[in-house]
Amino acid sequence: MHIQYIEVGNFRKLQAVRIDFSEQTTIFVGANNSGKTSAMVALRRFLFDRTNFSVNDFTLTHWNKLDADANAWEAQPSGDEPIPVDWGEVLPFVDVWLNVPIAELHYVQKLLPTLDWDGSSIGVRLRYEPKDALALRHEYLTAKRAAATVMGAASAGKGDEPKPATARDAFALWPRSMMDFLSRRLRATFEMKAYLLDPAKLVSPKDGVAKPQTLPPESEPIDGDPFKGLIRIDEISAQRGFGFAARSATRGDDPAEERDQRSASKLSGQLRSYYVQHLDPFETPEAKDLEALQALHEAQAAFGKRLAAGFSDALKELEEIGYPGVTDPKLTITTSIKPIDGLNHASAVQYEVPTYIADTKGAHRLPEESNGLGYQNLVSIVFALMSFRDKWMKVGKAGKTTNAEDALIPPLHLVLIEEPEAHLHAQVQQVFINQAYAVLRKHDKLKDSKILRTQLVVSTHSSHLAHEADFASLRYFRRLPAPADAGSVPISSVVNLSEVFGNTDKTERFVRRYLKATHCDLFFADGAVIVEGPAERIVIPHLVRERSDYEYLRRCYITWLEIGGSHAHRLKSLLVHLGLNTLIITDLDAMEISGKAATPKRGAGLLTRNETLKTWIPGEKSLDALFDKKGNELVSSYPSGYVIRVAYQQPIKVTFKSKEPVDVLANTFEDALVYENTDLFKTLDGTGLIAKFRTALNDSADLAALAGEVSKALKNGGKAEFALDLLYCDEGDKLKVPAYIHEGLLWLARQLRRKEVETASDAAEVAA
């Protein structure tokens, strides 16, 4: 049995999303404020930490509706039939869908949707809803009218007209609105209820937006906790301090366990908790504990005698002042030695510092605070995972319970980890994600067991961690602009990256390998710039940092990907699913009909070799047609508001050894850079391509001759070396950015600025 997927509705930014769970490890990735944390909090709130709901967990879009429904109550004459409220539209919920083999039917008998269950997925909705909707309405109206009475009396005493209490800037007593009322009374008036779902009504998400089924009005909640005895849930929260405080909840276990975990702010605290639950010889002692207990008894007796002898003179002196008297209790000293006391101090955990040519007797030891934060965090997290596993499997003393219910091992262990990368070096992050699941399964009864399953869910901002994870395990949280409805707010959708390319093919294999060979910043970026080669990858980001024209881009998280024009189109499916505003800077790559490379010119019937230009944007192979493409013809826009634009060399006016400016046609980034910086390159010091360009500019009689010399130089020139030389020279900062790149970067800045406003109504206004 395992969780197949969950659907989250009306919870923070997650208005309607489906999150597919891998059978082993699932990684949540996405840019800041994309909903990853909301998803982890939703799992926490609905599955075990159900007392911490607040009004801020309701999707903000629904606040106006709840306030409007409450206003309708107020306007309704007293005694009328209460106006019904469709709570199902606004209440936060999580649908958990389980994949349960027929052999494990006995675990889920109370969750079967029908008596003739056919082995399909089993769904349970956990919904946070009013305990009694009519009682909630009555309590709200009572509080609202009481506040209005007080405000009215105060205004009458001053002789002023009462101001409307709903105005944002007006003073008003609580409750100003329904959401204001719930800010104080939510936990008292709401509770969690569970409902069975119908597998036949499952609908696949569309464009990343889920379509959760609507509960029939006559639906009755099921009794108790639907997952008790089925799922053990453990969590490592992002807010864990230097030594980390693990948060854990176990269905059917003593709540004291969770309190112990919350107090374990350091590794020593974790060790104490682990010792008490699994190793303490005083708890249900076994034969192997007798030797330790006997040694403790002898030590306690010997220490007790030493204390009595040591305090004898002091006690005699006390008797000399009249205490104790004949009828007073006599003072005595005794001892109690427990092993846990040996761990209950600041230096219980120490790190041994290796020294050169020294045995262990001469080694230095330091307390745990003296070790690096990265290692503290790594050791703490790994030890927590070991502890979670051993508590699930009832290792040691934990398995000696006399309670039959507590002795049962739930068939599914769900472990949640938020942002494990905190303080961890990049390589350690990669090692961690590779080993974490293995740690959770390192038990004789687990290993490859299909009966006892473990599912690990990790949320992260780390491209290093995402880089090391299996592509199919990544779930990309994508920010969506707010719908064009009054009061709407930005929401999120979730993309299952294992489904981006459909069936495995060469394109998918290429993208997987490419991302592995480069980096995974793409999953955390606000926007992307795809460049043709190493020269663009080196020079353009530098010019963006130096030019005031691109100041807004410097505020954004832009990922730069270098990929040749013949391959950039292979990223199309991925970019479309991620919904990233993207600029593709590529080369014209002119050729003759025969396929031979050519120098660009008009009216010669030349074509482009660039697959991105031919098959994607703008979908044109004729060079003459590409020269004249403008504005929206260079853009591919999508209904959800994001856009992808291509930028390639187009005709520019240049004055070179002529009185009037004439059209010049560049073929690559390098010659475009030369044509727009002719005066600079004429005197620029340097070797390699810089020297060749300098010679061509000084010796060529006209633009036609210059184009031929530049083309000849580029055939055998080192483009990456050329870019590095430009960075090294002082005049490199004076370079003018080629027009096609400049326009593309300004376009990207406008799209990101528009996205910051997050209004879908602007999505159609795609600037060229």
Side-chain angles (χ1 to χ4, degrees), residues 353-596:
V353 181
T355 55
Y356 179 64
I357 312 179
D359 57 21
T360 56
K361 295 181 179 179
H364 302 290
R365 294 182 178 181
L366 296 174
E368 61 179 304
E369 293 89 345
S370 299
N371 204 17
L373 296 182
Y375 279 109
Q376 286 189 53
N377 201 27
L378 177 65
V379 172
S380 295
I381 293 176
V382 172
F383 192 86
L385 297 180
M386 294 164 53
S387 180
F388 294 160
R389 176 201 66 208
D390 290 350
K391 280 180 280 190
W392 177 39
M393 298 308 298
K394 311 293 183 183
V395 171
K397 308 300 179 179
K400 301 301 180 181
T401 179
T402 58
N403 187 322
E405 183 176 317
D406 289 347
L408 295 175
I409 296 177
L412 178 58
H413 187 198
L414 178 63
V415 179
L416 313 175
I417 306 178
E418 282 189 280
E419 301 176 19
E421 65 270 15
H423 306 301
L424 296 185
H425 193 273
Q427 281 83 354
V428 179
Q429 294 174 31
Q430 294 171 340
V431 171
F432 165 78
I433 198 61
N434 281 326
Q435 298 297 325
Y437 187 82
V439 170
L440 290 169
R441 300 295 294 178
K442 196 172 183 180
H443 187 279
D444 290 340
K445 293 183 179 179
L446 297 176
K447 295 184 178 179
D448 297 326
S449 171
K450 299 297 183 183
I451 303 298
L452 299 173
R453 304 290 289 270
T454 303
Q455 288 183 279
L456 174 64
V457 178
V458 180
S459 69
T460 183
H461 293 95
S462 169
S463 59
H464 303 288
L465 195 150
H467 174 277
E468 198 64 25
D470 182 14
F471 193 82
S473 71
L474 300 180
R475 303 295 177 264
Y476 178 75
F477 284 72
R478 174 179 151 198
R479 297 178 297 201
L480 297 179
D485 300 323
S488 295
V489 297
I491 56 176
S492 297
S493 65
V494 179
V495 179
N496 182 349
L497 292 183
S498 67
E499 299 175 352
V500 167
F501 300 98
N503 296 328
T504 301
D505 56 19
K506 291 183 178 179
T507 297
E508 180 189 15
R509 290 199 302 272
F510 168 81
V511 173
R512 290 172 184 261
R513 292 169 181 174
Y514 172 73
L515 292 177
K516 285 287 186 183
T518 54
H519 48 69
C520 290
D521 286 352
L522 199 63
F523 300 133
F524 306 94
D526 297 319
V529 178
I530 297 177
V531 296
E532 177 81 8
E536 294 98 315
R537 179 65 184 87
I538 294 170
V539 174
I540 298 175
H542 170 71
L543 296 178
V544 167
R545 289 190 292 270
E546 295 297 323
R547 297 289 192 275
S548 59
D549 293 341
Y550 315 124
E551 181 179 358
Y552 186 81
L553 289 179
R554 294 197 293 271
R555 290 174 44 191
C556 304
Y557 184 4
I558 305 294
T559 187
W560 298 80
L561 293 178
E562 177 193 334
I563 186 168
S566 61
H567 290 293
H569 65 288
R570 302 187 192 279
L571 296 179
K572 176 181 177 180
S573 183
L574 179 62
L575 293 172
V576 168
H577 279 80
L578 297 185
L580 276 179
N581 288 317
T582 303
L583 173 64
I584 302 173
I585 299 174
T586 191
D587 285 343
L588 201 54
D589 289 337
M591 71 174 184
E592 299 174 356
I593 295 178
S594 63
K596 181 181 178 182

Side-chain angles (χ1 to χ4, degrees), residues 187-202:
R187 298 181 192 178
T189 56
F190 275 62
E191 64 181 351
M192 189 75 67
K193 292 183 181 179
Y195 300 86
L196 297 181
L197 298 173
D198 186 354
K201 295 181 179 179
L202 269 174

